[in-house]
Every structure is written in C-alpha cells, then in structure tokens.
Amino acid sequence: MDEMPPIENRPLYVYRVLMKWLSFFIFGFSSVLLMILVLPVLRLTLHPREKFRKYARRFISASFRVFTRIMHFIQVVDVDPGDPAPFRHLSSKIVVANHPSLLDVVMLISLIPNADCIVRGTLTRTLVRGIVRQLYILNSLDFQDLLKECVDSLNRGNCLIIFPEGTRTPRSGKPALKKGAARISLLSGCGVVPVHIGGTDKYGLGKKDPWTAYNHRDRYVYRIRMLEELSPEKYRDLPIPVGVRNFHHEICAVLFDPAK
C-alpha cells in the first residue's frame, strides 16, 4: 500500500471526513425519495417504458449534478470536467473509464444525461434496488442476455459506461482488465470514448480504504478528461476473438497510459 503523507490540518481533516459521511447520508436519503416518490410518478405518466427510462435517466443525471454541487459547497469534492459540452452531446457511445474511487459513476452520469451502465446484481439488495432494476443493466444476467441488453441500449441512443477494471483500482497491484467494452463495440459497431479520471488522491473512497479516512492533504479533485474516440472498424474483418483482444489492447493502452 502506498504511504500517505502526514495529516497537515487535523481539524480540517476531521471536518472533511464528517462531510464525506454527510454526503453519503444525503445520497442514500435522496435515493430512497427517488425510488418511492419520483420514479413511480414518472412510471405512471410516461409511456411506453423506454420513454420512462429515457427521462428517468435524465432526472438522475440532473440529481447527480446537484449532489456534486452539494459536495463542492461543503468542501468535499471539486469536479473539473474541462469542457462539459461534449459529454452532454454523446450518443450511442461506449464510455470506458478508469475507476479510482466510489464516486466515479456518479461523476460520469452527472455529465452524461443519457448514460446507461452495467451494475452489480448485488445492488438489488440495497437502498437503490428500485432504481437499478428499472433503469440499468445487471451483471447477474446470462452473458448473452447481458450483451443483447447492452447493444439494444446503444441502438436506442444511450451511452454505456464501462469500467474495464471491473472494480475500483486497488492501491497496490492491478486488477485484470476485462474485454467487455471491446466485445460490445464490435457487436454494436458503436465507437469507444475513453475518459480518464485523474485529480488528487481518492484515499477514503478507494478499494478497501477505511470509511473514516480522507485525503490527508487536499480535498478530492476529479479531473475528468474525454480522450479521442476509438473506432472498432479496423478490427471488424478479424476473427472475433482476435478482434476483441486487439481492440481491448488499444483501449487499455490509451486509457491507462501512465503519462496521463
């Protein structure tokens, strides 16, 4: 594990930890309100189902933007997306990103109004179960059904967020990178848009970090940069396993370039 520098300002550190906990309380409470008040109204008034899902995703994106502004106001998080306009105008793209922290998907959905994503099936046993069941794709589906759901969502103009690491980046070692983004891109013909999430150390939000922890020196800064789109076209004439493997290597080389 990387050694963290000593805490410079302990009262400020304690304040930021408490505000981090408050942020997660706000997120959980808002999710319950969304599930029991907002989504049922949208479901009753918006038909067919895909129209409901479209506007519900947009509502969640707007809610996440409000949430990030609250975290900024209480001095927990700063978000620097560069120019946010390209994110808003994405359509039928596979957005692949590195995964340094617990809030990565929140940041990306707040920027991409038509975002869909693959979520853990275990989330159906949490407070957000009503949201994930109705709006997003569960990784507990049969593999072929999962691929079909992803391709169908892209064909409807949604953007699919995928983290090739599959889990948050550990502080030591690296997880095996999954080839799902390359496979779905080749099946759907949709381009891959790499997004690099940088900024300050996300200690306290990373994999296996203590809930009582926070960055020892700085507030959390999310520097989010959209990189050049990658096309699957040059791999389409290759045998599927070879094309998937080669495209996956290209995606990883761009996204995980240590120089970024």
Side-chain angles (χ1 to χ4, degrees), residues 68 71-79 103 107 205 214 219-222:
T68 59
M71 288 191 294
H72 172 75
F73 178 75
I74 61 178
Q75 301 182 39
V76 173
V77 162
D78 286 339
V79 184
L103 292 175
M107 300 300 170
L205 296 174
Y214 193 93
R219 72 175 71 182
Y220 297 131
V221 176
Y222 283 79

Side-chain angles (χ1 to χ4, degrees), residues 202-231:
K202 308 300 187 296
Y203 184 58
L205 296 174
K207 190 173 181 66
K208 297 183 179 180
D209 288 349
W211 280 85
T212 53
Y214 193 93
N215 184 310
H216 285 193
R217 295 282 180 91
D218 305 295
R219 72 175 71 182
Y220 297 131
V221 176
Y222 283 79
R223 190 167 293 108
I224 303 172
R225 294 294 182 266
M226 183 187 298
L227 308 177
E228 187 175 348
E229 181 178 339
L230 305 175
S231 172

Side-chain angles (χ1 to χ4, degrees), residues 148-194:
K148 182 179 184 302
E149 286 283 332
C150 292
V151 173
D152 287 347
S153 183
L154 288 163
N155 289 338
R156 289 191 292 265
N158 297 318
C159 290
L160 185 64
I161 297 173
I162 294 179
F163 298 106
E165 294 166 280
T167 185
R168 283 171 284 168
T169 311
R171 297 188 70 78
S172 60
K174 294 182 179 180
L177 301 177
K178 301 183 182 349
K179 300 182 178 71
R183 184 180 298 277
I184 294 167
S185 178
L186 285 167
L187 282 173
S188 64
C190 297
V192 171
V193 177

Side-chain angles (χ1 to χ4, degrees), residues 100-118:
S101 82
L102 193 61
L103 292 175
D104 302 331
V105 72
V106 172
M107 300 300 170
L108 292 176
I109 290 178
S110 74
L111 291 168
I112 305 171
N114 59 343
D116 199 351
C117 58
I118 301 170

